[in-house]
Amino acid sequence: AEDEIAAFEREIKQFWTSFKSIYGSEQVNQTVALRDSCKESIKALTEKWSQKLKEEDLMIDKIKEYNDEILQQNKLISENEENLTEIKSNLNHEEEQIKSLMDSIQELKEELMKKNKIIASKNKATKERVEQLCKSKALFEERLGLEIRRIHDEQLQFIFRHIDHKDPEKPYTFTLFINEQGDYEVTSCSPPLDCIAEFQQKVRETNNFSAFIANIRKAFTELSYK
């Protein structure tokens, strides 16, 4: 715009030079006044448009700053969305792990409850059988000269006397307990009997405990004559 105005002023000067050579002073003065008025108008117009151009440049710079700021904000929003997506994914994964862990804990609880019921049932059966054996104590002592003692770990010790005619007070003993499967199990025998394993298996099959005791006493008796 400034280049156009400068060109315009040069044309005015050329016109003025040509005009002076043709017209008189008065007309020249009028023309000068008109020229000065025109120049003032052009100057005012130039200043006005120059100011507008500066304002537009400032506006363009401001718009550019806004655009840069918007781009930066969009970038931050995009990064935050990616972070949120990752956080949600991690939370979902952790929730699945927690659910799996809770399911495992529940399964273990149920399994433990079942095992506790089985153990309680076995303990009850074991206790009842031990009590039954203890109730039979008097009968065995009276008829077979047998003494029964409860020792550590819920084991019962059976002591036979009056077997060896040479030494009636000599003890013949074996120790018995009921294992986790609810079966009779002989843990010791003095003096040792080769047939003790056979007797143990038979009482497990028949559950005839009286016959089991009688067979052991008979085996001890036979052993005393050897």
Side-chain angles (χ1 to χ4, degrees):
E2 291 180 355
D3 293 339
E4 292 177 359
I5 293 171
F8 182 72
E9 288 179 346
R10 286 196 298 271
E11 291 178 1
I12 291 295
K13 287 181 180 180
Q14 292 174 0
F15 172 78
W16 171 245
T17 302
S18 299
F19 186 78
K20 282 177 67 177
S21 64
I22 298 172
Y23 294 96
S25 300
E26 184 178 352
Q27 290 178 336
V28 170
N29 291 335
Q30 290 178 356
T31 303
V32 169
L34 180 61
R35 183 200 67 180
D36 292 341
S37 176
C38 183
K39 289 176 71 175
E40 290 294 329
S41 297
I42 291 172
K43 183 180 179 182
L45 184 62
T46 301
E47 291 177 352
K48 179 180 179 181
W49 280 105
S50 178
Q51 182 64 30
K52 283 186 174 293
L53 287 173
K54 289 179 181 179
E55 292 176 355
E56 288 178 357
D57 288 340
L58 291 173
M59 183 64 70
I60 290 171
D61 291 339
K62 199 69 176 176
I63 291 171
K64 186 178 179 182
E65 289 179 4
Y66 287 154
N67 286 335
D68 291 342
E69 185 176 351
I70 289 171
L71 289 174
Q72 185 66 24
Q73 291 295 330
N74 288 337
K75 183 179 179 182
L76 290 174
I77 290 171
S78 178
E79 291 176 354
N80 288 335
E81 286 178 348
E82 291 177 358
N83 291 335
L84 285 173
T85 301
E86 184 177 357
I87 290 171
K88 287 181 179 179
S89 176
N90 291 335
L91 286 175
N92 290 335
H93 182 64
E94 290 178 358
E95 287 177 355
E96 291 176 358
Q97 287 184 326
I98 292 172
K99 184 178 182 301
S100 176
L101 180 61
M102 294 301 293
D103 292 342
S104 298
I105 291 173
Q106 183 62 31
E107 290 178 1
L108 289 174
K109 284 183 178 179
E110 292 175 357
E111 185 177 353
L112 183 61
M113 289 177 64
K114 289 179 181 179
K115 288 184 177 180
N116 286 338
K117 287 181 179 179
I118 293 173
I119 291 172
S121 177
K122 288 182 177 179
N123 288 341
K124 182 180 179 182
T126 300
K127 185 177 180 181
E128 289 175 352
R129 295 178 77 173
V130 171
E131 289 177 352
Q132 182 181 1
L133 292 176
C134 291
K135 289 178 180 178
S136 304
K137 178 180 178 181
L139 178 63
F140 289 138
E141 287 180 349
E142 179 181 350
R143 296 186 179 181
L144 302 176
L146 174 64
E147 179 184 357
I148 302 174
R149 297 176 182 175
R150 179 177 292 185
I151 57 178
H152 57 85
D153 297 330
E154 295 297 325
Q155 296 188 67
L156 295 177
Q157 185 182 50
F158 295 78
I159 305 171
F160 294 96
R161 301 185 191 277
H162 307 297
I163 290 180
D164 189 346
H165 61 282
K166 297 177 182 178
D167 186 3
E169 294 301 317
K170 179 181 178 180
Y172 289 75
T173 66
F174 75 94
T175 304
L176 180 75
F177 86 108
I178 299 172
N179 60 26
E180 293 182 355
Q181 288 72 37
D183 295 326
Y184 294 109
E185 185 170 336
V186 178
T187 58
S188 66
C189 182
S190 179
L193 292 175
D194 295 335
C195 54
I196 195 70
E198 178 186 348
F199 294 160
Q200 175 180 273
Q201 182 60 34
K202 191 170 183 179
V203 73
R204 289 180 179 180
E205 295 172 355
T206 64
N207 202 32
N208 189 340
F209 192 73
S210 297
F212 172 69
I213 295 296
N215 287 334
I216 291 180
R217 179 179 175 80
K218 181 178 179 182
F220 279 144
T221 303
E222 291 175 354
L223 184 64
S224 67
Y225 287 105
K226 292 182 179 180

